Amino acid sequence: MRDRVLLCLIVILFSFSCARKTDPFHDGTLIEVSIDKTHRVCCDSLDCVLLGSSNVFSTIDDVLFKDSIVIVKTNNAIYSFDINSGHFRTQMSECGRGPGEYIQAWDIGLMRENMFIYDIDGRNCLIYDMNGTYINTLQLPVESTNAPFQSLIPIRDGGFIGKRVFGVSGTPELSLYDAKLNYITDIGDNKVTSGIKLWRQFFSGADNDILYVRYFSDVIWSIENGDITAKYNVSFGNKTFVEYDDMADEYECIDYLEKHKKRVAYGVCNVYESSKYLAFQFFFNDEQFMSVYDKEEKSTEVYNFISTNGSVSQLYFTDGSIYVFMDTLDNKEYLYRFDIQS
């Protein structure tokens, strides 16, 4: 009996040592993702469109959806396509130093009925309509450029939230800015730990707030009225990256994941939320997955996409459908749509 009690205590202590450290910022709705129950979908049987008539993509850095338009940022160029036909619509400005041109397009986003390009080298934010017509430029104030943004997102009152990409030790990660990009205040206690830029969107707009994710973290944050709280806590079960909290910075995370990528899921990004769904992309064993949480059913489904003609370059969810960007063997980019209710 004594040995049995001792054994139980050891098991309990071991379980606590392996669990994520208690942290008030890791509260929020638990989203349990089971990779072992993934739906593997072959894109060869899905409807698709060719994006443009020739290969204009080197990499896909970011994607925006607006009505029947899909905007793709690739390297230092931004292109617009019809989402239903794949027909090329326009190039959103171009690299240069003239009016309405950018030097280094670092980020893109939607502003009501328009879009913006954040030019990290030009230190400004250029505004265009959805046809690519230049409207005006927001010049970043000097105090906003000391530690440049990695990403920007507009908020309802006309201001912005910015995530820093560089900065000395202790630089705040998130800050709030007014409509002219003047600094107002810092958001939360997180600090910049590196200047690295890896993948995908940090921010996404929800119905009532802004959602935010950090590299390698499995927490989806909510930013509202200048406050940040954990809204969702994603668990991949025994594949959860529990070591994240003990890592010094993103570089240490990368080294660790390179060695353990076959047993750890990571990289929650491309988050989408509506009144019905919460969806996000993640990575496991060098593959990309899309997790879709149905708020009404309180259930999560996981999808992975394959093709005999190429490889997945990006996954996005919007309006009840998963959009799969596929690099094909003939060096073209196809866009597949998978309706999750089908």
Side-chain angles (χ1 to χ4, degrees):
M1 179 69 179
R2 180 179 177 182
D3 291 341
R4 186 174 300 174
V5 171
L6 180 60
L7 177 61
C8 290
L9 287 173
I10 292 173
V11 170
I12 293 172
L13 289 172
F14 178 79
S15 299
F16 274 111
S17 68
C18 293
R20 179 179 289 283
K21 292 187 289 187
T22 301
D23 186 330
F25 289 108
H26 289 160
D27 293 337
T29 301
L30 178 64
I31 307 297
E32 296 183 287
V33 178
S34 178
I35 300 175
D36 296 333
K37 297 180 180 180
T38 296
H39 303 283
R40 293 185 69 84
V41 180
C42 181
C43 290
D44 298 351
S45 61
L46 301 179
D47 293 334
C48 69
V49 294
L50 171 64
L51 293 180
S53 58
S54 62
N55 179 32
V56 296
F57 301 95
S58 53
T59 60
I60 295 181
D61 302 319
D62 208 345
V63 174
L64 303 175
F65 294 92
K66 177 67 174 175
D67 301 326
S68 62
I69 299 172
V70 56
I71 297 174
V72 179
K73 177 183 178 297
T74 170
N75 196 7
N76 201 29
I78 299 100
Y79 302 101
S80 172
F81 303 90
D82 183 283
I83 197 171
N84 297 310
S85 67
H87 291 162
F88 175 78
R89 296 180 71 253
T90 187
Q91 181 172 347
M92 313 297 281
S93 186
E94 60 184 1
C95 183
R97 297 180 180 270
E101 297 177 338
Y102 56 83
I103 303 173
Q104 178 63 54
W106 199 256
D107 190 29
I108 59 174
L110 297 175
M111 296 180 64
R112 299 186 179 92
E113 300 304 313
N114 301 316
M115 70 154 295
F116 71 85
I117 299 174
Y118 166 50
D119 181 359
I120 191 171
D121 288 342
R123 300 190 174 190
N124 56 38
C125 193
L126 301 102
I127 315 299
Y128 309 83
D129 68 19
M130 297 307 292
N131 293 316
T133 303
Y134 169 69
I135 298 175
N136 69 303
T137 297
L138 297 177
Q139 195 67 42
L140 271 67
V142 174
E143 61 269 20
S144 296
T145 61
N146 292 332
F149 305 113
Q150 187 169 46
S151 186
L152 284 169
I153 189 167
I155 54 180
R156 287 190 300 272
D157 66 0
F160 292 84
I161 296 171
K163 180 208 177 295
R164 304 270 185 202
V165 62
F166 302 125
V168 297
S169 177
T171 297
E173 185 172 276
L174 298 172
S175 297
L176 181 65
Y177 303 86
D178 66 15
K180 295 183 178 180
L181 289 172
N182 292 300
Y183 168 84
I184 297 177
T185 188
D186 297 326
I187 299 174
D189 298 323
N190 290 332
K191 307 299 182 184
V192 173
T193 57
S194 79
I196 198 170
K197 182 179 182 182
L198 296 175
W199 65 74
R200 313 310 199 264
Q201 299 167 328
F202 294 96
F203 296 111
S204 60
D207 290 338
N208 300 307
D209 56 0
I210 300 296
L211 300 182
Y212 174 68
V213 292
R214 308 181 78 198
Y215 285 143
F216 310 114
S217 172
D218 52 23
V219 177
I220 301 174
W221 309 80
S222 168
I223 304 176
E224 188 174 12
N225 300 321
D227 296 321
I228 182 169
T229 55
K231 189 172 185 178
Y232 299 103
N233 190 1
V234 179
S235 171
F236 297 103
N238 61 1
K239 297 178 178 63
T240 301
F241 184 20
V242 296
E243 296 83 1
Y244 169 77
D245 288 333
D246 297 319
M247 299 290 172
D249 55 30
E250 286 90 350
Y251 297 105
E252 189 173 350
C253 290
I254 292 172
D255 290 341
Y256 178 88
L257 291 171
E258 185 61 30
K259 299 174 183 177
H260 301 89
K261 58 187 175 184
K262 292 186 177 181
R263 75 169 187 84
V264 174
Y266 65 94
V268 172
C269 60
N270 293 350
V271 180
Y272 169 94
E273 186 179 28
S274 66
S275 59
K276 181 171 176 56
Y277 296 114
L278 170 75
F280 53 87
Q281 182 182 349
F282 67 91
F283 302 86
F284 177 70
N285 195 19
D286 286 336
E287 292 187 89
Q288 302 183 45
F289 296 77
M290 179 62 71
S291 175
V292 181
Y293 174 72
D294 188 313
K295 296 181 180 180
E296 297 174 359
E297 301 294 331
K298 291 182 169 43
S299 62
T300 304
E301 302 292 338
V302 182
Y303 301 88
N304 173 249
F305 296 86
I306 58 175
S307 173
T308 59
N309 299 319
S311 59
V312 174
S313 57
Q314 283 268 21
L315 295 175
Y316 285 88
F317 185 96
T318 186
D319 298 331
S321 298
I322 299 173
Y323 286 89
V324 183
F325 291 81
M326 185 77 65
D327 293 331
T328 60
L329 300 177
D330 55 357
N331 294 319
K332 294 182 179 179
E333 192 78 25
Y334 284 84
L335 178 60
Y336 294 81
R337 189 181 80 177
F338 176 75
D339 300 323
I340 63 171
Q341 296 296 338
S342 60

